[in-house]
Amino acid sequence: MADLARPAHFQSETAPGESRATSASIKLDIRGVTKRYGAVTAIDDVSLSVGDGEFLTLLGPSGSGKTTLLTAVVGLTAPDRGEVWIDGALATYAPPYKRDIGMVFQNYALFPHLSVFENIAFPLRMRHRDAATIRRQVSRVLDIVELGHTADRLPRQLSGGQQQRIALARCMVYQPSIIVMDEPLGALDKRLRDSMQVEIKRLHSQFGITILYVTHDQEEALALSDRICLMRDGAIEQLGTPHELYFRPRTIFAANFIGDSNIFEGIVRSSSGDVVAIETEGGLTLHARPGTQRVNAGDHIQLTIRPEHMQIVPAGDLAANQISCHVESVLFAGSLMKVFCRTDRGLAIQANLIASRQELRSGTPVQLGWSAEDVVLLQGERR
Amino acid sequence: MSFGAVDAKADAMQPAAAHSPQPAPSKRLVWAMPLIPALLFLTIFFIYPVADLLLLSFTNKSGAFDLEQYRAVYSSKVYIDVLLITLKIALMIVAFCLILGYPVAYLLANAAPKTRARLVIWVLMPFWTSFLVRAFAWMILLGNNGPITKAVNIFGPEPPIKLIYNLTGVMIGTVQALLPLAILVMMAAMQNIDANLTRAASTMGARGGQAFWRIYFPLSFPGVAAAGLLTFITAMGFFITPALLGGPRETMIAQIILVQVQELLNWRFAGALSLLLLALSFVVFLLYDRATGLSSQAQSTQPGRVQRPPGRLAATWSASLLAILGWLGSASDAAMKALEAVFPRRNDRPGRRGPGLLQIAVGMVLVFLVAPALIVVPVSFTSGSFIAFPPVGFSLRWYETYLGSPVWVAATLVSFLVALVTGLLATILGGAAAFVFIRHEFFGKRMLVALFIAPLVIPRIIIAVAMFYLFAKLGLIGSLWGLIIGHTVLALPFVVVTVMSVLKSYDERYDHAALTLGATPLRTLRHVTLPLIKPAIIAAFLFSFVTSFDELTVALFISAGTVTTLPKMMWSDLILQMNPTLAAVSAVILIIATVIVLAAEAIKRRASYE
Ligand SMILES: Nc1ncnc2c1ncn2[C@@H]1O[C@H](COP(=O)(O)OP(=O)(O)O)[C@@H](O)[C@H]1O
Ligand SMILES: [Mg+2]
């Protein structure tokens, strides 16, 4: 390549022909980034663009490379290969203190020897702002997170939720255009987590910040994100809106990681028009609408059906898919009943039904039905 | 050296350079810079002189290769005997230290953190206070007119029991000197034993004895092994206490080396004896390692490392050991049962509280560690002209003598100055090195860390003689810098260990946070890292200070004329004749060292923001 010899520091001009990164709507562009630690490939050729003002979440199990990708973005780790572009400028090896990015850490990383005020003032002092500006800006963000009264305390004198908000404030005070957050709510209890989610969402829409968010909690990802990037073993499994990931998972992994799933394997027997018939293990014949996906008779295929798409139907119902089975156990979850069934040939099926006054006892024979649209055809395992 | 290899590896791991439009920023060794000064320092003032001395032993006067020194050792029964005596005494010391130290370490490791903090001071104080002062105290107590000797001979046995200038004296003095080391090492290992394991064993029906001998003891074994090894190696090179409390028949190898150098200037022979001492320690280490699997156990605590399976020898060992442990368990349970038959235990009442046998035994060991040295304080206030205990009257005359003597005052000032500069130098060099060790992975790291710890493990007499040889050539004998350099080599291990341990538990996310918030690496260090680890840095400085302040071995060789340290002055007086001035000087050394150690511990402990 022509620009092989260019210096490694942060560059403000763009190489010719790099239209993708200069495009106004792309804030952060990750291109083919790979990072290895010895034999472990923490992230493997990941490419991802984040739009200006977008809330994008990296979701994935622990060890899937989320933190590593995040630290490559902020400049705490140098990728082995690939590029990171920020605001249309190449920043792969720019040191973190020269990037316009704020980071909220997994356990907040508030400096224990500095007061809340000094913690928040820290980034401003590093930028040599004058004392009056510092005072004004710190109290402004303290007001935003509603913790003005804690300015003189040490971090350890705050509750977990308060520390979390101070960490946010410290990150916002110098108004970076991108904020990355690494499981920021991981250490909080459920109730606090819910209210902090609302707060983060509010800050996002209020200030138009671009947020790259990391979590292993699928509910959190679904609730907050404009788009979700599902990670697995250092690579992107699927990228899309929460809606797409939930209703159109592309792999077994995606289907299993987000929400509950019934997963079947089978062979395509016939495709008449836009409906295909699939014969599954356990001797069922299921009908699905593959839509744009091309399937041929004889294909080996995997498919998933969300338990909440299943209903108890009367015998002789017209639903495209019907099976008879008997109830094995029922988990009562308030508004929902998780009904675990088994067919005569031993296939396990889960149906999530709206709770009704009528109780389902184990052993009860039931007929489950669902429409062809609710059957999602999966791609085979990618490795 | 290893750095070339590091680089090659880094390059091999980055084939990316060919694909990326932009080369990775040059990482060439910039990260290793903080290590360089300390490494150079140790290379010049530690590795080189020691190697030089050892190599010297293989040459003759004309500089050609010759084994004449070793022939001389071999042909004279004296030296072989001394080596055997040294080995025997060292093994006896190890046995006593482990037996006396184990219960103390056990109790400390299993005490509540607050209690442990309070009690461990009683081990740390003797650990840091001078061998010399403590040997001096024993000379008073065990001397032929000393209070302990008198008490032992109260019924006038014939011939009277002698406690000094024989093996008894050497044992009492050296065991007391090395016991703190054994306790601290065992305690550190025992603190990592999960208390739930013994609890689990007792819920499965194991009685106290079985639970201890079958579960706890085997788990504590690596710590015992490490403690034994360190004590042994230190004991092998010991000369202060044996020289002052032993007789001619307890002459140890280090004393011979001392004489060869100081009186005969026979470098080659001293080099040969040093090599033998080193070789003997090394052989013992290897045998020991084969038997206990010490180094493989040490490795297994490092994450991500595959544990080397223990050798066959170790396997047979552990099988027979297990049988013995089971037997010990049954034996102690049987004893407890017999006791219970006499004093039945009641299930409807809580058990007896208050100190048990173990607590009393441990209390006695702690008194043995701390109390004897304190005798120098009352003795120093005597108004008589001789050392006596109990002291005669009360006066400050010996302090007046001390402070009125220009020689003693000069020595005190030299000691202070040397300790101060040593503290600063060692803290800077060692602290910077510790950063590199903790923050970077590189080829040969374990070896380099071992190099930094080596001055602690290699018999000090060898280091001292080697330095003497080098410094004589450099004209550093009798200079402040000679002493400072020598003491810095000895203090570096303490600094590196202290700073490494705090950095290991330091949460690097604080630094990462500072960097993302706009701080440069230097400002991160200044505003975040250093303030957070300040207590450990100060503690490292104070430990270096104390190490230098009452160091004798190196000072013995490097001091000369007006540049003489306090311990060196004391030693010279002590081998000529005991006098109460020495008690005054000892009291001053003891108090200064104690105050500094207490301060260091307090600072280290206070420092938790969490
Ligand atoms: N500094 C490191 N040294 C060695 N391995 C690492 C390091 N950081 C991460 N890894 C490895 O890289 C993989 C991805 O880790 P990480 O990015 O922390 O995942 P996540 O944040 O999704 O849990 C894991 O297998 C982890 O063990
Ligand atoms: Mg992570």
Side-chain angles (χ1 to χ4, degrees):
Chain A
M1 277 184 205
D3 45 7
L4 195 67
R6 282 197 306 173
H9 56 75
F10 197 20
Q11 301 195 334
S12 50
E13 80 269 54
T14 317
E18 298 289 0
S19 59
R20 208 149 60 103
T22 47
S23 139
S25 65
I26 290 181
K27 189 76 190 168
L28 171 68
D29 202 8
I30 298 160
R31 300 184 190 170
V33 167
T34 297
K35 178 73 190 178
R36 287 193 199 91
Y37 291 107
V40 180
T41 304
I43 39 176
D44 188 6
D45 194 21
V46 168
S47 297
L48 178 67
S49 300
V50 185
D52 198 1
E54 189 179 21
F55 195 124
L56 191 141
T57 298
L58 302 175
L59 174 67
S62 166
S64 57
K66 308 180 297 291
T67 299
T68 307
L69 185 57
L70 219 56
T71 51
V73 167
V74 293
L76 291 171
T77 48
D80 294 331
R81 71 172 75 176
E83 296 169 4
V84 176
W85 293 74
I86 297 168
D87 274 329
L90 187 53
T92 317
Y93 301 110
Y97 50 91
K98 288 193 182 157
R99 302 185 187 201
D100 181 29
I101 299 188
M103 177 158 183
V104 177
F105 288 80
Q106 214 157 0
N107 286 321
Y108 323 135
L110 295 177
F111 303 129
H113 62 304
L114 299 180
S115 67
V116 165
F117 182 93
E118 282 304 322
N119 260 284
I120 300 177
F122 188 89
L124 303 175
R125 294 201 192 284
M126 293 303 118
R127 287 168 175 74
H128 306 285
R129 302 281 155 76
D130 63 84
T133 314
I134 289 178
R135 221 171 310 117
R136 202 178 55 247
Q137 298 197 345
V138 171
S139 52
R140 183 182 61 90
V141 291
L142 269 175
D143 286 344
I144 293 177
V145 297
E146 296 169 353
L147 283 173
H149 58 288
T150 64
D152 296 327
R153 298 198 199 155
L154 285 176
R156 64 153 185 266
Q157 295 165 316
L158 303 181
S159 71
Q162 288 173 324
Q163 291 186 26
Q164 176 56 58
R165 271 141 74 194
I166 297 301
L168 265 177
R170 183 176 70 175
C171 202
M172 288 167 47
V173 71
Y174 58 104
Q175 298 175 320
S177 55
I178 305 175
I179 292 185
V180 303
M181 304 190 187
D182 191 359
E183 311 210 6
L185 308 183
L188 303 182
D189 62 43
K190 176 92 177 83
R191 220 164 40 85
L192 215 54
R193 210 157 55 217
D194 289 346
S195 73
M196 284 303 300
Q197 284 178 11
V198 175
E199 195 143 347
I200 288 173
K201 196 71 191 164
R202 177 171 67 85
L203 293 174
H204 172 241
S205 48
Q206 194 170 336
F207 295 96
I209 313 164
T210 308
I211 292 185
L212 184 56
Y213 192 90
V214 162
T215 183
H216 63 258
D217 178 346
Q218 43 121 352
E219 281 180 40
E220 191 169 296
L222 293 173
L224 291 174
S225 322
D226 295 327
R227 279 193 302 159
I228 294 175
C229 173
L230 183 63
M231 307 269 304
R232 175 192 185 188
D233 295 340
I236 297 179
E237 184 81 1
Q238 188 171 354
L239 176 65
T241 63
H243 200 271
E244 279 166 0
L245 258 89
Y246 192 84
F247 290 104
R248 290 284 145 197
R250 280 212 291 264
T251 61
I252 292 186
F253 178 81
N256 269 331
F257 198 82
I258 302 174
D260 294 334
S261 292
N262 290 297
I263 290 173
F264 300 99
E265 265 181 56
I267 293 171
V268 178
R269 282 301 172 214
S270 67
S271 54
S272 62
D274 52 355
V275 175
V276 294
I278 298 149
E279 189 185 325
T280 71
E281 20 140 34
L284 301 175
T285 301
L286 303 180
H287 297 94
R289 287 181 193 277
T292 54
Q293 257 168 292
R294 194 171 308 151
V295 287
N296 302 312
D299 281 0
H300 195 89
I301 207 164
Q302 290 160 328
L303 49 90
T304 174
I305 305 122
R306 296 282 179 202
E308 59 269 32
H309 293 152
M310 302 210 165
Q311 282 179 320
I312 295 183
V313 293
D317 189 84
L318 291 179
N321 295 296
Q322 292 182 35
I323 51 174
S324 21
C325 47
H326 59 272
V327 176
E328 271 200 336
S329 62
V330 177
L331 225 156
F332 184 57
S335 58
L336 210 68
M337 289 193 301
K338 298 190 173 185
V339 183
F340 298 92
C341 307
R342 199 172 284 280
T343 65
D344 293 340
R345 293 186 51 179
L347 217 56
I349 295 172
Q350 180 187 350
N352 292 356
L353 307 176
I354 308 269
S356 69
R357 243 163 277 129
Q358 189 193 348
E359 244 181 289
L360 274 175
R361 285 179 214 290
S362 60
T364 315
V366 289
Q367 181 89 356
L368 294 174
W370 61 94
S371 72
E373 282 81 4
D374 292 330
V375 178
V376 180
L377 303 186
L378 302 173
Q379 292 168 353
E381 281 296 86
R382 73 177 150 79
R383 68 197 86 178
Chain B
M1 280 214 48
S2 51
F3 291 126
V6 174
D7 236 10
K9 205 164 126 200
D11 285 345
M13 274 170 41
Q14 291 193 340
H19 300 272
S20 171
Q22 182 190 39
S26 164
K27 283 190 261 170
R28 293 203 172 270
L29 300 187
V30 174
W31 57 267
M33 290 306 278
L35 182 59
I36 303 301
L39 200 57
L40 277 179
F41 186 86
L42 280 182
T43 308
I44 298 170
F45 297 116
F46 175 62
I47 302 179
Y48 169 71
V50 170
D52 198 27
L53 177 71
L54 298 182
L55 288 178
L56 188 72
S57 69
F58 291 106
T59 60
N60 57 25
K61 285 239 160 49
S62 56
F65 176 80
D66 198 330
L67 289 176
E68 64 177 2
Q69 305 301 334
Y70 293 91
R71 279 196 295 275
V73 175
Y74 188 69
S75 60
S76 154
K77 200 171 144 2
V78 178
Y79 300 114
I80 303 291
D81 280 351
V82 167
L83 269 175
L84 290 178
I85 288 172
T86 306
L87 195 60
K88 183 188 82 177
I89 292 181
L91 289 175
M92 286 175 72
I93 293 171
V94 170
F96 277 116
C97 283
L98 294 183
I99 292 169
L100 290 178
Y102 193 93
V104 182
Y106 174 83
L107 204 71
L108 286 176
N110 291 296
K114 274 220 173 103
T115 320
R116 174 165 58 234
R118 237 182 307 120
L119 287 179
V120 81
I121 290 289
W122 297 101
V123 182
L124 283 168
M125 258 156 36
F127 179 74
W128 288 109
T129 49
S130 140
F131 291 150
L132 192 58
V133 169
R134 284 190 285 157
F136 174 64
W138 282 123
M139 288 170 80
I140 301 173
L141 289 168
L142 303 178
N144 290 340
N145 289 317
I148 295 184
T149 310
K150 276 189 190 155
V152 169
N153 288 305
I154 196 153
F155 298 115
E158 270 312 320
I161 298 171
K162 288 191 63 171
L163 296 176
I164 197 169
Y165 309 129
N166 56 20
L167 190 59
T168 316
V170 173
M171 273 304 132
I172 294 175
T174 44
V175 167
Q176 192 222 23
L178 299 183
L179 191 52
L181 176 67
I183 293 174
L184 290 175
V185 174
M186 283 191 279
M187 184 187 85
M190 286 177 185
Q191 273 176 272
N192 293 329
I193 297 176
D194 187 353
N196 286 327
L197 289 175
T198 19
R199 261 179 238 147
S202 62
T203 62
M204 290 179 239
R207 281 178 155 261
Q210 287 287 2
F212 175 80
W213 289 108
R214 279 184 181 269
I215 309 292
Y216 195 89
F217 187 76
L219 286 173
S220 69
F221 196 68
V224 176
L229 186 63
L230 265 180
T231 315
F232 176 80
I233 288 175
T234 317
M236 287 288 287
F238 220 44
F239 74 90
I240 299 173
T241 316
L244 295 175
L245 300 177
R249 290 199 305 171
E250 287 78 45
T251 303
M252 292 182 69
I253 184 84
Q255 287 165 267
I256 303 281
I257 297 176
L258 185 72
V259 170
Q260 287 294 327
V261 173
Q262 281 210 311
E263 285 164 25
L264 309 171
L265 279 182
N266 192 348
W267 298 105
R268 287 189 174 75
F269 196 62
L273 291 178
S274 299
L275 187 81
L276 288 177
L277 171 57
L278 212 53
L280 201 58
S281 311
F282 192 65
V283 167
V284 169
F285 173 80
L286 286 185
L287 286 178
Y288 203 82
D289 189 42
R290 286 296 298 274
T292 61
L294 188 65
S295 60
S296 56
Q297 269 150 348
Q299 263 173 16
S300 72
T301 60
Q302 298 232 331
R305 257 173 214 285
V306 186
Q307 187 171 357
R308 178 155 53 90
R312 208 177 309 143
L313 186 58
T316 32
W317 248 80
S318 52
S320 38
L321 222 91
L322 263 169
I324 297 173
L325 293 176
W327 180 82
L328 276 170
S330 327
S332 49
D333 283 342
M336 286 306 288
K337 245 188 197 157
L339 263 178
E340 273 174 34
V342 185
F343 307 102
R345 189 198 292 236
R346 297 185 51 167
N347 285 341
D348 58 345
R349 238 194 270 160
R352 181 177 51 92
R353 301 284 304 170
L357 221 63
L358 179 66
Q359 278 84 344
I360 292 170
V362 168
M364 278 161 59
V365 172
L366 290 181
V367 168
F368 167 69
L369 279 181
V370 175
L374 300 179
I375 197 172
V376 301
V377 179
V379 167
S380 68
F381 289 111
T382 187
S383 58
S385 309
F386 303 100
I387 283 185
F389 188 86
V392 187
F394 176 90
S395 85
L396 292 176
R397 65 182 275 205
W398 297 108
Y399 286 90
E400 281 160 20
T401 314
Y402 168 29
L403 295 175
S405 150
V407 195
W408 278 113
V409 171
T412 311
L413 291 180
V414 166
S415 274
F416 256 105
L417 190 61
V418 169
L420 195 69
V421 182
T422 297
L424 291 174
L425 194 59
T427 306
I428 293 169
L429 290 177
F435 262 87
V436 177
F437 286 144
I438 290 296
R439 296 274 167 104
H440 300 279
E441 284 304 323
F442 54 93
F443 177 78
K445 183 167 105 171
R446 285 166 67 84
M447 220 181 64
L448 280 187
V449 174
L451 167 66
F452 275 77
I453 309 297
L456 196 64
V457 184
I458 289 182
R460 203 174 270 192
I461 184 84
I462 297 179
I463 303 176
V465 171
M467 275 179 184
F468 185 27
Y469 187 60
L470 174 70
F471 288 5
K473 288 188 277 187
L474 298 178
L476 283 173
I477 303 296
S479 74
L480 284 175
W481 278 111
L483 287 168
I484 289 166
I485 291 170
H487 285 176
T488 301
V489 168
L490 300 180
L492 272 173
F494 293 111
V495 175
V496 171
V497 167
T498 309
V499 179
M500 268 176 76
S501 84
V502 71
L503 281 180
K504 212 176 273 173
S505 58
Y506 179 79
D507 188 345
E508 239 182 301
R509 262 176 313 197
Y510 295 134
D511 287 18
H512 292 163
L515 288 169
T516 63
L517 292 170
T520 60
L522 264 181
R523 300 185 87 188
T524 302
L525 186 70
R526 195 177 129 219
H527 293 291
V528 177
T529 324
L530 286 183
L532 282 174
I533 65 166
K534 190 169 69 185
I537 302 278
I538 295 175
F541 167 80
L542 292 176
F543 289 143
S544 309
F545 186 96
V546 173
T547 302
S548 164
F549 189 71
D550 68 17
E551 201 284 336
L552 174 62
T553 317
V554 165
L556 212 49
F557 292 93
I558 313 287
S559 295
T562 51
V563 184
T564 293
T565 67
L566 211 47
K568 163 75 201 290
M569 280 283 291
M570 245 191 98
W571 169 267
S572 308
D573 257 29
L574 209 52
I575 48 180
L576 285 181
Q577 111 204 74
M578 301 244 287
N579 60 64
T581 318
L582 291 174
V585 174
S586 293
V588 168
I589 294 182
L590 194 65
I591 287 164
I592 289 174
T594 305
V595 166
I596 288 177
V597 171
L598 290 182
E601 283 299 317
I603 289 169
K604 224 170 71 179
R605 210 155 276 148
R606 203 194 49 195
S608 90
Y609 293 98
E610 305 304 332

